[in-house]
Amino acid sequence: MASFFPAALENLIDGFASLPGIGRKSAQRLAFHVLSLPAEEAESFANAVLEAKRNVHTCPVCQNLTDGDLCPVCASETRDRTTVCVVSEPRDVLSIERSREYRGLYHVLHGALSPMNHVGPDDLRIRELLERVAQGEIREVIMATNPDTEGDATAMYISRLLRPFGVKVTRLGFGVPVGSNLEYADDATMLKALEGRREM
Amino acid sequence: MASFFPAALENLIDGFASLPGIGRKSAQRLAFHVLSLPAEEAESFANAVLEAKRNVHTCPVCQNLTDGDLCPVCASETRDRTTVCVVSEPRDVLSIERSREYRGLYHVLHGALSPMNHVGPDDLRIRELLERVAQGEIREVIMATNPDTEGDATAMYISRLLRPFGVKVTRLGFGVPVGSNLEYADDATMLKALEGRREM
């Protein structure tokens, strides 16, 4: 029954189903939706896939995704070049930019250390970070990997590697999320929030 | 902040976000996944979209989606050509085929009457059904539109149009839960529904 739909449609369903978080039924719905689109719209979607794959690459400095020579942050003349914020994924840069507070540069690792999933130091862009720090302009490195086991381990590992360079290494502050309800804070978060309390 | 990602990446995110049931965050995840694919895989996904749109069209007899001259069911020599099962969508054909009970032909309406959404009789493939029945070979028409208001209204409307032709018109029987969607019917329910069909 798998080959009940025309081959080209089955192919498209398979394509959607291979994406993360999309099951067989959703893939079918998406494929039927694409078939129902005007030809130009379906083409522009297909082209968006090809263009993204063709034009988007990593910034040679910070390893974030970009379609230019440098990413907009590294290319900007107004950013503070003495501070680097280290994140796991490109989408984390967006989260930090949204705070409108941070004016430094970034470094994207493209993952976190995870022995379970066979992700070691060589699979991350750690060497590139050390090279940047070795150039001497950077004075503070903020470790903004995720506040979970893998993110913590990655931050710890990198902070040790950075010690010989004599730069200040900080970790993103942990605590209760703003706008949340204390009632729902988990034990670990509450512990961190208490440890990180500040005089007011 | 919307233009924070490279334009080609934003385009791809927009493309995914325009699909039904995919929000902004999921679209981001899917786009990042596509970027992480080997170039050939991303290309084959884009090609699947183009090929499906290019090669899949409706069967001139039953209006189901196909990439051949006729769909596999209409082209088959072993199907019962005196019975036609009328469904709303191509995916409903798959649901009925899965029961392994039905051996007749299909007719896909591509929708259901819905005054609220400005879908009238001329927007469905009803004329094509009447032309098939007028040819005289068909003796029974099973109305298998969804068991909801629009599907019932569509079944009723078509059954009246078919009356002058003197064919037996039946409605898919008990077993299909009222208010549900045919797409999600399990095999056993679909079997009961076929066995319990009633003349209308």
Side-chain angles (χ1 to χ4, degrees):
Chain A
M1 221 44 68
S3 63
F4 178 78
F5 289 124
L9 177 53
E10 284 288 344
N11 263 347
L12 182 56
I13 295 174
D14 289 344
F16 276 118
S18 75
L19 299 177
I22 297 190
R24 196 84 202 155
K25 283 270 174 184
S26 305
Q28 271 182 28
R29 271 182 183 270
L30 293 173
F32 281 121
H33 175 81
V34 166
L35 285 184
S36 74
L37 290 176
E40 319 84 72
E41 282 184 43
E43 270 166 38
S44 88
F45 176 66
N47 283 333
V49 172
L50 295 175
E51 290 294 305
K53 193 64 201 167
R54 214 172 275 147
N55 297 337
V56 179
H57 51 91
T58 54
C59 170
V61 177
C62 75
Q63 313 296 324
N64 193 5
L65 296 173
T66 182
D67 51 4
D69 288 339
L70 287 178
C71 77
V73 174
C74 288
S76 165
E77 308 229 324
T78 63
R79 311 283 303 214
D80 168 15
R81 306 196 156 265
T82 65
T83 311
V84 168
C85 181
V86 177
V87 295
S88 289
E89 300 291 345
R91 56 175 174 263
D92 298 332
V93 173
L94 186 60
S95 297
I96 294 173
E97 284 293 286
R98 270 203 308 261
S99 76
R100 292 162 205 270
E101 167 75 12
Y102 183 67
R103 298 303 304 157
L105 304 180
Y106 290 95
H107 192 88
V108 182
L109 297 172
H110 291 275
L113 293 177
S114 174
M116 288 274 287
N117 300 311
H118 309 288
V119 180
D122 292 341
D123 300 312
L124 307 180
R125 311 289 171 94
I126 295 177
R127 190 172 46 78
E128 290 84 348
L129 174 64
L130 299 182
E131 283 167 10
R132 288 178 75 182
V133 173
Q135 286 168 16
E137 199 181 3
I138 294 164
R139 272 183 262 138
E140 178 177 356
V141 176
I142 305 173
M143 299 305 308
T145 49
N146 280 323
D148 55 17
T149 320
E150 295 175 354
D152 283 341
T154 308
M156 188 63 70
Y157 179 83
I158 292 176
S159 72
R160 281 195 193 146
L161 292 179
L162 289 175
R163 208 162 290 165
F165 295 98
V167 291
K168 185 173 166 192
V169 181
T170 54
R171 182 89 170 99
L172 206 61
F174 298 137
V176 263
V178 175
S180 67
N181 196 311
L182 277 194
E183 189 182 348
Y184 303 116
D186 61 280
D187 303 354
T189 303
M190 188 54 80
L191 185 67
K192 292 281 185 194
L194 284 165
E195 281 172 3
R197 68 186 183 273
R198 296 209 246 169
E199 201 161 330
M200 56 186 290
Chain B
M1 221 45 71
S3 62
F4 177 78
F5 290 123
L9 179 52
E10 283 289 343
N11 262 348
L12 183 55
I13 295 173
D14 289 344
F16 276 118
S18 74
L19 300 177
I22 296 190
R24 195 82 202 155
K25 282 270 173 185
S26 304
Q28 271 181 29
R29 269 181 185 270
L30 293 173
F32 281 122
H33 174 82
V34 167
L35 285 183
S36 75
L37 291 176
E40 321 84 72
E41 281 184 44
E43 270 167 40
S44 88
F45 176 66
N47 283 333
V49 172
L50 295 174
E51 290 294 305
K53 193 64 202 170
R54 214 173 273 147
N55 297 338
V56 179
H57 51 91
T58 54
C59 169
V61 178
C62 75
Q63 313 295 324
N64 193 5
L65 296 173
T66 183
D67 53 4
D69 288 338
L70 287 178
C71 77
V73 174
C74 287
S76 165
E77 308 228 326
T78 64
R79 310 284 302 214
D80 168 15
R81 306 196 158 264
T82 66
T83 311
V84 169
C85 182
V86 178
V87 295
S88 289
E89 300 291 346
R91 56 176 174 259
D92 298 333
V93 172
L94 185 62
S95 297
I96 293 173
E97 283 294 287
R98 268 203 313 258
S99 75
R100 293 161 207 266
E101 166 77 10
Y102 183 68
R103 298 304 304 157
L105 304 180
Y106 290 96
H107 192 86
V108 181
L109 297 172
H110 291 275
L113 294 177
S114 174
M116 288 273 288
N117 300 311
H118 309 288
V119 179
D122 293 341
D123 300 311
L124 307 180
R125 311 288 170 95
I126 295 178
R127 190 172 47 77
E128 291 84 348
L129 174 64
L130 300 182
E131 283 167 7
R132 288 177 75 182
V133 174
Q135 286 168 17
E137 199 181 2
I138 294 163
R139 273 183 259 140
E140 178 177 357
V141 177
I142 304 173
M143 299 304 309
T145 49
N146 279 323
D148 56 17
T149 320
E150 295 174 352
D152 282 341
T154 308
M156 190 61 70
Y157 178 85
I158 293 176
S159 73
R160 282 194 191 146
L161 291 179
L162 289 174
R163 209 161 289 164
F165 296 98
V167 291
K168 185 173 166 189
V169 181
T170 54
R171 181 86 171 100
L172 205 64
F174 290 123
V176 193
V178 175
S180 67
N181 195 307
L182 273 197
E183 193 186 352
Y184 301 112
D186 63 280
D187 305 3
T189 303
M190 190 52 78
L191 185 67
K192 287 284 174 201
L194 282 163
E195 284 170 351
R197 68 183 185 271
R198 296 209 248 168
E199 191 151 1
M200 60 186 282

